[in-house]
Amino acid sequence: MPLLDTRSRAVALAFVAMAIGLGFQALHALFGLGGPALDGFTKDGVYTTVEFVAVGVCAARVLRRREDRAAWLVICLGLLAWSAADLVWTVWLDNVANPPYPSLADAFYFAMYPALYCGLLLLMRTHFRQAGPALWLDGLVVGLTLAAIGAVLIFPALHGAHSGNSAAVTINLAYLLCDCLLLVFLAVGFALAGWRPGRQWLVLAMGTAVLAGADMVFLYQEAKGTYVAGRILDTMWPASMAILALAAWQPASRARRAPLTGAAAVAIPIAFGLVALGVLVSASANPLSPLEIGLATGALLAVGARAVFTYLENARMLERQTRDAITDALTGLGNRRRLLQDLTGLLDGGADGRLWTLVFFDLNGFKRYNDTFGHAAGDVMLRRLGTSLAVAVHGHGQAYRLGGDEFCALLAGAHRPGQVLVSDAKAALSEQGSGFTVAASCGTVILPEEADSLTAALSLADKRMYADKGSRRANHSQTQSVLMQLLTEREPTLHDHVHDVGVLAVEIGRQYGMDSEELDELRRAAELHDIGKLAVPEEILHRAGPLSEGERQFMRQHTVIGERILHVAPALRNVARLVRTSHERWDGEGYPDRLRGEEVPLGARIIAACDAYDAMVSERPYQTSRSHADAISELRRHAGTQFDPRVVELLCEHLESLAPQDARRDVVPLHSS
């Protein structure tokens, strides 16, 4: 990282010039470089020039950079006021035998302090915006303690030196207070940065500390009568201004270091608090001034405020952790732990003589939605459904999410399945849209009428919920049976064909790791993929010769017709989607939507390959059946064009594991799903 965040050659040369001037001034003060003849040149010329060059460099920063412009503008004005005060001394007061005190120079000197305070505050607000009250208190503890130490060291000398001159004592005390306040600002800034400030703030703090330190040393030496002009102390003021100008051009930090945490962060204010306590204890042996006592007392009060704040923060944190422990992070509903707590309290208290209803919900179709649209969309749906459930039971009980796609409600009173409140809650957990349907199965238990223990209540509710899920599947099966019978009445030969395709498709789907719900939908889609042929005239279905173009286009509409038939039943809408796409091709040349590759749903790709195999080994009006081996060879020949290559690979491996005579429906096992 560069020392200066600037490409200006003039600014860089200005810093070089200030460094040379300060180096020469320091060597002259320490070793007499150049001899006494250069005393005036060093004390007046070099000193003042460095200060005004620093002001110019800082002003250039204000003009060229928008970032923190207001902060550096007021700091620049403060440096200008200080330089003007030194210029007054150089041009006028140094040439007066008994210069007035206080004087015009003191007005300029004092004008610098509020400017520095404002600039530091603006920088803190910009760079430490996220700092909390605890860090402000930590900074006050450290700053007030440092100020108290400075006052203990310097105040007695100031008071003794000007005991007869109240104006001089007041001015010197004002300088001391202003410098102590600078130390407080620096300490607060470091605390707000977590005691790990960036490079710009470090350099800024260094320049401010040198300035305050030089003032305090000067006040002490001047009070003791040991100050001699032209010594190394005089180099500290222009050096502090050069360092502040350097801070203005420091590059912004690209990476923030992690602040100190835990014991390391607390140890600093604790240590300084103990020092402040030591200052007050020392008053029993050496009486302290009100200034010293006030600063040390302020530090201890800040320590006390920090302790109170820490206690309140810990109490809030404990409350928040307790709340989070019983709250589902995704939906904001109570979680399983909250449900167990509420049930335990309710059952242990005998339900206060009232009846309560525990309702378990399990979402049907959510996994398919999650897999199709992604986990982010699934999380959004769960939040939406959780909110709907909470609204549905508001005023009647409490809603919970137990995890995954399982929800629960605890309702006041006795409510049976089908009654208004349970139906409303069930409807709140249902949603449908293009290509998906999510519904809920539920199981209810009346407490304590049907279960008087936690284990019995949970077990019975879970059992009844799965019974409702089984009933839902049974209803789907009835719908399936009606449609299959209708297809059989119209075209008896299709019944065996679609049954065989369904059996084979389930075997391949199982190799893809599909769950029971997905396998159930796959089997239904495979068995109903030709349901649209009910709308195709028999003469077209049974024609032995080729179809005309118009007849072929009409025939291709049977997948769309099948989708419309199935879409009437909300529970079969996922099945309808697979039926519509069951004649799409891997290369995009299929129908009706010319989907390509993985745009075609996996279930539809499986059905297409299984349907082709069964069609090839079956007798048709327009073709004779092929052998088992020929059908497998044909599948492989069209893998990558008509069929998904991976589906063909799994299907052929499965078929080859069977004897040729076993590849028909009579021996292919049909597992329940």
Side-chain angles (χ1 to χ4, degrees):
M1 181 179 290
L3 179 63
L4 294 176
D5 190 14
T6 177
R7 296 180 181 178
S8 171
R9 185 183 297 273
V11 172
L13 289 175
F15 278 108
V16 172
M18 285 191 290
I20 293 173
L22 289 171
F24 176 79
Q25 186 180 10
L27 291 174
H28 180 80
L30 292 172
F31 307 109
L33 180 66
L38 294 180
D39 285 349
F41 171 74
T42 304
K43 180 172 69 71
D44 297 333
V46 174
Y47 184 104
T48 306
T49 300
V50 169
E51 287 189 337
F52 277 98
V53 170
V55 171
V57 168
C58 196
R61 162 66 170 79
V62 173
L63 295 174
R64 295 192 179 190
R65 296 290 176 84
R66 297 181 59 184
E67 182 184 8
D68 297 324
R69 177 173 286 171
W72 287 108
L73 174 61
V74 294
I75 291 175
C76 181
L77 292 176
L79 298 184
L80 180 61
W82 187 273
S83 301
D86 281 335
L87 187 62
V88 169
W89 269 100
T90 300
V91 174
W92 172 36
L93 297 177
D94 255 356
N95 301 315
V96 177
N98 294 302
Y101 190 70
S103 66
L104 177 63
D106 292 302
F108 282 119
Y109 282 134
F110 280 119
M112 181 208 63
Y113 289 106
L116 282 185
Y117 301 153
C118 290
L120 292 174
L121 278 175
L122 289 173
L123 290 175
M124 290 180 198
R125 189 184 68 172
T126 301
H127 296 282
F128 310 132
R129 191 183 301 272
Q130 303 303 321
L135 296 179
W136 283 92
L137 291 171
D138 288 348
L140 285 175
V141 171
V142 175
L144 290 172
T145 302
L146 290 174
I149 295 172
V152 168
L153 295 175
I154 299 174
F155 181 82
L158 295 180
H159 190 267
H162 301 281
S163 57
N165 188 339
S166 59
V169 171
T170 301
I171 293 298
N172 286 335
L173 282 177
Y175 276 117
L176 178 60
L177 281 173
C178 290
D179 290 325
C180 287
L181 191 54
L182 271 182
L183 296 178
V184 173
F185 272 88
L186 292 181
V188 169
F190 270 73
L192 295 181
W195 307 108
R196 291 185 176 183
R199 197 164 98 184
Q200 185 181 78
W201 187 265
L202 277 173
V203 178
L204 181 63
M206 185 187 306
T208 309
V210 170
L211 176 64
D215 278 355
M216 290 184 174
V217 172
F218 170 77
L219 289 173
Y220 183 84
Q221 289 183 353
E222 196 268 342
K224 291 293 187 180
T226 59
Y227 173 73
V228 178
R231 297 287 177 86
I232 191 65
L233 177 62
D234 289 354
T235 310
M236 294 177 65
W237 285 293
S240 68
M241 296 185 65
I243 296 172
L244 290 173
L246 180 65
W249 287 98
Q250 285 303 293
S253 299
R254 296 184 179 180
R256 293 185 179 274
R257 299 180 62 187
L260 295 177
T261 56
V266 177
I268 296 175
I270 289 178
F272 278 86
L274 292 175
V275 172
L277 180 61
V279 170
L280 291 178
V281 170
S282 68
S284 60
N286 300 302
L288 300 177
S289 69
L291 173 62
E292 298 158 331
I293 293 175
L295 291 172
T297 302
L300 288 181
L301 289 175
V303 171
R306 177 66 160 94
V308 172
F309 178 82
T310 301
Y311 171 78
L312 295 176
E313 182 67 18
N314 288 339
R316 285 192 294 268
M317 186 182 303
L318 180 60
E319 180 183 355
R320 186 166 55 250
Q321 289 175 345
T322 302
R323 184 175 62 250
D324 292 345
I326 58 175
T327 303
D328 176 59
L330 182 62
T331 62
L333 302 178
N335 59 13
R336 184 179 294 273
R337 181 178 296 173
R338 173 68 181 275
L339 173 65
L340 296 180
Q341 287 182 2
D342 292 349
L343 280 176
T344 300
L346 186 151
L347 293 173
D348 288 349
D352 297 327
R354 295 187 299 167
L355 295 179
W356 292 79
T357 302
L358 175 64
V359 191
F360 269 19
F361 298 97
D362 186 77
L363 302 183
N364 304 307
F366 176 74
K367 184 179 184 303
R368 172 62 60 84
Y369 178 91
N370 210 36
D371 293 343
T372 302
F373 298 100
H375 293 290
D379 288 347
V380 172
M381 172 177 279
L382 288 175
R383 282 194 291 268
R384 192 163 56 242
L385 295 179
T387 301
S388 298
L389 178 62
V391 170
V393 304
H394 180 69
H396 301 280
Q398 181 72 35
Y400 308 84
R401 177 175 175 244
L402 306 184
D405 57 0
E406 294 181 338
F407 289 83
C408 181
L410 187 59
L411 309 175
H415 304 276
R416 307 287 179 180
Q419 291 184 337
V420 175
L421 190 54
V422 175
S423 297
D424 288 348
K426 193 173 181 178
L429 292 174
S430 301
E431 192 171 308
Q432 63 185 37
S434 178
F436 74 91
T437 299
V438 174
S441 299
C442 75
T444 63
V445 179
I446 309 299
L447 305 174
E449 181 181 283
E450 296 179 326
D452 58 2
S453 70
L454 179 63
T455 303
L458 296 176
S459 177
L460 186 56
D462 194 58
K463 180 179 179 180
R464 288 178 175 176
M465 185 268 292
Y466 277 103
D468 183 54
K469 186 181 287 285
S471 174
R472 175 179 175 272
R473 289 189 176 180
N475 291 335
H476 293 175
S477 296
Q478 291 177 0
T479 304
Q480 176 95 358
S481 298
V482 170
L483 293 174
M484 288 290 292
Q485 184 61 34
L486 181 61
L487 188 62
T488 301
E489 292 294 330
R490 169 68 191 279
E491 188 63 38
T493 59
L494 284 180
H495 180 276
D496 290 342
H497 167 64
V498 296
H499 173 77
D500 293 346
V501 174
V503 170
L504 201 53
V506 168
E507 291 294 335
I508 306 307
R510 190 171 283 112
Q511 294 185 51
Y512 271 96
M514 291 184 176
D515 60 24
S516 60
E517 186 174 338
E518 292 171 321
L519 291 174
D520 185 64
E521 289 181 354
L522 177 61
R523 178 178 61 81
R524 296 181 193 282
E527 293 180 349
L528 295 172
H529 77 277
D530 279 335
I531 191 68
K533 289 184 178 179
L534 290 172
V536 179
E538 289 189 14
E539 62 180 34
I540 295 179
L541 282 177
H542 297 141
R543 181 173 300 173
L547 301 177
S548 67
E549 182 60 27
E551 291 170 335
R552 184 180 297 106
Q553 293 301 322
F554 184 80
M555 185 69 170
R556 288 188 170 187
Q557 288 299 305
H558 81 272
T559 57
V560 179
I561 296 170
E563 180 193 34
R564 288 203 296 265
I565 293 172
L566 298 175
H567 211 265
V568 174
L572 293 177
R573 287 183 178 176
N574 288 334
V575 174
R577 179 169 174 262
L578 295 181
V579 168
R580 179 186 180 93
T581 55
S582 60
H583 283 271
E584 298 287 355
R585 290 169 53 111
W586 183 257
D587 60 8
E589 297 299 319
Y591 62 87
D593 302 313
R594 300 180 70 85
L595 302 180
R596 178 185 297 273
E598 293 187 358
E599 294 177 353
V600 184
L602 175 60
R605 304 199 303 265
I606 292 174
I607 293 171
C610 295
D611 179 42
Y613 169 78
D614 195 82
M616 285 188 287
V617 297
S618 302
E619 289 288 345
R620 295 291 178 92
Y622 47 84
Q623 72 174 29
T624 59
S625 63
R626 298 191 183 191
S627 68
H628 173 68
D630 286 346
I632 292 176
S633 177
E634 188 71 7
L635 284 173
R636 286 190 166 130
R637 191 166 69 88
H638 290 281
T641 53
Q642 183 174 352
F643 307 116
D644 180 343
R646 176 60 178 162
V647 170
V648 169
E649 178 185 354
L650 293 176
L651 176 58
C652 291
E653 288 177 358
H654 173 70
L655 293 172
E656 287 172 344
S657 68
L658 306 172
Q661 67 273 17
D662 292 340
R664 301 297 298 151
R665 67 181 182 278
D666 296 334
V667 295
V668 176
L670 177 61
H671 299 280
S672 62
S673 58

